[in-house]
Amino acid sequence: MDTVKYLLPEDRMPSAWYNIVADLPAPPPTVLHPGTGQPIGPADLAPLFPMALIQQEVSQERTIEIPEEVQAIYRQWRPTPLYRARRLEQALDTPAKIYYKYEGVSPAGSHKPNTAVAQAYYNKQEGVKRLVTETGAGQWGSALAMAGACFGLEVLVYMVKVSYQQKPYRRALMETYGARVVASPSEETNAGRAILAERPDSTGSLGIAISEAVEIAAQSEESKYALGSVLNHVLLHQTVIGEEALAQLEMAGDYPDIIVGCTGGGSNFAGCAFPFIGAKLRGGRDVRVIAVEPMACPSLTKGKYAYDFGDTAHLTPLVKMHTLGSTFVPPGFHAGGLRYHGMAPLVSHLLDLELIEAIAFQQLETFAAGVQFARTEGIVPAPEANHAVVGAIREALRCKEAGVSRTILFNLCGHGHFDMQAYTDYQAGKLHDYEYSAEDVAMALAGLPSVGN
Ligand SMILES: *Cc1c(COP(=O)(O)O)cnc(C)c1O
């Protein structure tokens, strides 16, 4: 079976991002100030983000133009290829057609540069000198470090300690791009010191690392904070994925019945799916959209849809999202990018509106799918992407059982070349499944803010 690849010519790369808010049947819930319970305004966010990104965060416009400077950098690896997974289809003996959009061709190896480059650009435009951020597995940190290098910005990354220790090559990549990387929790911030005083052996979490980055960014006019997922403007920047896929499927003479994506904070999933959901909302074809998450951090399938903080130290505004509680520390499973306690408010809102579905899988099943994918399609997926792979395989097998053909599109959000230890451990039988502990979640949810709920 030959590989079938759909490449868009460069001049057909999207020149605008798509904002799904313009097409939703109900507006998303407002963001609240944790003290007053009142909706926050742009001024409240100004210490953390440049005004252009704050405007995108609250925009109701359907499309937002991609600045030429950003497009110029995108063109280094975009449009990304869309593949038909013919050999995987054959191995599964399914009548389904499986397409995947491959974001691993970016310099950092994932979809994250789509927003990192845009964020670095707008910060540079507004005179910012340094970007401060957190990273879990290191993918966001390396994307922002790369983007910072493109625009001559300093980058400071608080890296979740367990990854800092386990993923020295991701750290090396960030440092190669010129970033400074600090293990979180650290002694450099009030938030980090408070955690270490209570639990000196803390291996960290995204929630803690976000607290540290926000605290440092807010201290200086020249520093701003950058987030790699969750926020509306991040999801917006990722929509280049789905817009390209729309055009590429048109080249293929096809249209998806089912779209699958993995969800950590929700950005690559949204980036791939929102343009198709938008088309449906404007009277186009129906499409089933499935978010896949790990059983060990199941915010969409087992979390509560409530107002919560984005970080552990409670420095962020309150957003309504599916949450496991801001103090939830997931077990150390290998899809580091899927370990966030909450979900993008827009993705949560769409689940609430029943425009999408959600499902959770165990770690071992996701790796089995990743290995099958590598052996058929040749690409080793990132452990996060394995969740999308297993979701797509499951749907293809359901087609086989039912004897029906469906067109499935999934987003292969990154390659796993920096995650080979996880594959080694999997092959050696050292990985385990984790059921999230109902007790842990109940405890973390007990700490939900009273404001808004
Ligand atoms: C960061 C990351 C994720 C999770 O983030 P989303 O915002 O949910 O996309 C998933 N896959 C890869 C490869 C990542 O780098």
Side-chain angles (χ1 to χ4, degrees):
M1 273 288 170
D2 294 337
T3 299
V4 189
K5 177 164 81 174
Y6 299 93
L7 278 181
L8 273 186
E10 245 179 55
D11 61 7
R12 287 197 60 195
M13 192 179 77
S15 58
W17 294 299
Y18 167 64
N19 180 12
I20 197 169
V21 173
D23 290 319
L24 288 178
T30 47
V31 177
L32 302 180
H33 190 283
T36 64
Q38 294 302 306
I40 61 160
D44 294 305
L45 294 173
L48 292 183
F49 301 107
M51 204 39 80
L53 291 176
I54 295 171
Q55 280 160 4
Q56 291 179 2
E57 192 62 24
V58 298
S59 171
Q60 317 262 335
E61 299 293 318
R62 180 172 288 119
T63 57
I64 293 171
E65 223 167 284
I66 307 174
E68 182 42 47
E69 293 88 335
V70 174
Q71 289 193 46
I73 296 178
Y74 277 1
R75 276 193 286 268
Q76 186 186 348
W77 71 93
R78 308 209 69 87
T80 62
L82 176 85
Y83 293 100
R84 169 101 182 260
R86 297 278 289 273
R87 293 192 299 261
L88 177 64
E89 289 170 17
Q90 199 176 36
L92 298 171
D93 189 26
T94 174
K97 290 187 269 182
I98 306 174
Y99 293 88
Y100 58 97
K101 181 79 168 148
Y102 185 42
E103 289 295 307
V105 293
S106 80
S110 77
H111 63 287
K112 295 238 169 57
N114 296 334
T115 186
V117 169
Q119 292 189 41
Y121 167 78
Y122 290 115
N123 274 286
K124 181 74 181 183
Q125 286 289 102
E126 297 187 27
V128 173
K129 298 276 186 284
R130 181 174 71 160
L131 292 175
V132 190
T133 196
E134 73 293 323
T135 197
Q139 280 141 330
W140 168 242
S142 33
L144 194 69
M146 176 212 117
C150 288
F151 290 101
L153 291 166
E154 274 176 57
V155 175
L156 168 59
V157 183
Y158 288 90
M159 184 175 193
V160 176
K161 194 173 279 170
V162 62
S163 304
Y164 184 90
Q165 289 160 346
Q166 286 178 356
K167 305 208 169 196
Y169 296 135
R170 273 281 169 199
R171 194 194 340 155
L173 180 60
M174 290 184 261
E175 288 168 350
T176 301
Y177 285 132
R180 185 164 84 88
V181 185
V182 179
S184 165
S186 79
E187 294 284 353
E188 294 187 353
T189 65
N190 292 329
R193 284 188 293 269
I195 296 282
L196 288 173
E198 222 173 278
R199 294 180 39 205
D201 60 343
S202 169
T203 53
S205 71
L206 273 178
I208 295 168
I210 292 174
S211 295
E212 294 206 88
V214 167
E215 183 183 322
I216 294 293
Q219 281 168 3
S220 151
E221 289 257 313
E222 298 199 322
S223 293
K224 296 276 184 212
Y225 172 64
L227 190 61
S229 185
V230 177
L231 296 177
N232 298 351
H233 68 264
V234 179
L235 274 54
L236 174 83
H237 299 153
Q238 294 297 351
T239 58
V240 286
I241 301 171
E243 288 184 55
E244 287 177 7
L246 267 167
Q248 286 162 311
L249 282 161
E250 196 183 305
M251 287 169 71
D254 220 330
Y255 198 85
D257 301 297
I258 301 166
I259 299 175
V260 181
C262 69
T263 44
S267 74
N268 88 83
F269 165 80
C272 182
F274 280 9
F276 291 89
I277 298 174
K280 163 178 156 174
L281 290 169
R282 296 191 303 276
R285 275 183 63 167
D286 194 17
V287 58
R288 260 184 79 207
V289 178
I290 305 169
V292 184
E293 63 183 9
M295 206 75 102
C297 193
S299 51
L300 283 172
T301 52
K302 295 202 175 152
K304 188 167 172 186
Y305 187 38
Y307 275 97
D308 199 5
F309 292 95
D311 72 317
T312 305
H314 297 174
L315 303 174
T316 70
L318 295 175
V319 294
K320 193 168 184 187
M321 60 181 173
H322 288 81
T323 179
L324 297 166
S326 60
T327 57
F328 181 79
V329 179
F333 64 95
H334 267 292
L338 307 184
R339 287 165 44 95
Y340 186 57
H341 69 273
M343 183 49 59
L346 271 177
V347 172
S348 284
H349 183 51
L350 264 69
L351 184 65
D352 195 51
L353 292 173
E354 297 180 6
L355 288 168
I356 62 169
E357 304 165 26
I359 185 170
F361 284 98
Q362 286 287 11
Q363 174 162 258
L364 292 180
E365 203 177 345
T366 66
F367 273 94
V371 169
Q372 183 172 31
F373 188 83
R375 291 180 187 176
T376 48
E377 295 297 314
I379 299 170
V380 178
E384 294 84 2
N386 285 343
H387 292 72
V389 175
V390 73
I393 289 178
R394 176 178 174 275
E395 289 303 319
L397 292 176
R398 285 179 53 169
C399 288
K400 179 179 169 181
E401 272 166 39
V404 294
S405 175
R406 294 276 181 275
T407 297
I408 301 166
L409 165 67
F410 76 91
N411 191 38
L412 190 66
C413 48
H415 66 65
H417 297 178
F418 285 95
D419 303 282
M420 294 320 293
Q421 188 60 46
Y423 280 88
T424 301
D425 292 348
Y426 171 70
Q427 307 277 15
K430 287 190 197 158
L431 295 192
H432 305 286
D433 284 341
Y434 295 96
E435 197 71 50
Y436 93 116
S437 142
E439 267 169 38
D440 280 2
V441 173
M443 247 170 65
L445 284 178
L448 281 183
S450 53
V451 173
N453 292 316

